[in-house]
Amino acid sequence: QIYLEESGGGSVQAGGSLRLSCIYSGYTAGRYCLGWFRQVPGKEREGIATLNSYGSTTYADSVKGRFTASQDNAKPTLYLSMNNLKPEDTAMYYCAAKYWKSSLNCDTGDHDFPDWGQGTQVTVSS
C-alpha cells in the first residue's frame, strides 16, 4: 500500500529555515521519482524539487540555492530543507511519488504523480 505523509511545516519569519519531512511507504522495489510541490489557493500548483532513486535532484528557479531535497532510504523519508525563506514561499507543501525509469521525466515540470501526501502548511511572515 502506497502511503505518504508530510510534516514539519509551520510559521517562520523571513530569512528563517524549516525542514519538511515526507514519510513514504509502498515503494519497496524498482526505481522511483519523488517530488515536492506547493500550492497557494487560487494559483496553480508549482513543482519545486524532485529527487530520483539515483539521487539526482532538480529544482525550480524560484527555490534554487535555498532549498535542498534529500532522502534517508533506511526510514524511508524524503526531506526538503528550506533556507532563507521568503513571504512568497508561503503555501501548502505536498510530497508526491511514482515508480519511474530513467527514460521518463522526473523534474519539476512533471506533475504526473499518482501518489500524494495530505500537505503541510508553511507560512513566512515579513
Side-chain angles (χ1 to χ4, degrees):
Q1 181 178 357
I2 304 297
Y3 176 81
L4 297 95
E5 182 175 4
E6 306 92 340
S7 62
S11 297
V12 296
Q13 290 191 326
S17 299
L18 283 173
R19 189 176 78 158
L20 306 183
S21 299
C22 172
I23 297 174
Y24 60 94
S25 63
Y27 286 80
T28 56
R31 302 294 180 184
Y32 51 83
C33 172
L34 306 172
W36 283 106
F37 297 81
R38 65 186 181 187
Q39 189 165 24
V40 176
K43 294 190 176 181
E44 290 189 359
R45 183 172 56 200
E46 179 186 14
I48 57 173
T50 64
L51 184 150
N52 66 34
S53 50
Y54 293 114
S56 297
T57 54
T58 69
Y59 297 96
D61 288 343
S62 58
V63 305
K64 200 171 292 183
R66 300 188 298 122
F67 291 12
T68 303
S70 60
Q71 66 175 343
D72 182 338
N73 289 325
K75 291 187 177 180
T77 304
L78 173 69
Y79 299 101
L80 185 68
S81 297
M82 306 185 295
N83 298 313
N84 190 23
L85 283 160
K86 304 175 181 180
E88 52 264 42
D89 294 319
T90 295
M92 185 72 78
Y93 284 70
Y94 300 89
C95 63
K98 64 178 177 179
Y99 282 110
W100 168 81
K101 53 185 178 181
S102 58
S103 59
L104 301 177
N105 290 333
C106 179
D107 57 50
T108 56
D110 175 21
H111 292 206
D112 187 18
F113 286 76
D115 301 306
W116 294 80
Q118 83 290 346
T120 187
Q121 178 68 36
V122 172
T123 303
V124 184
S125 58
S126 57

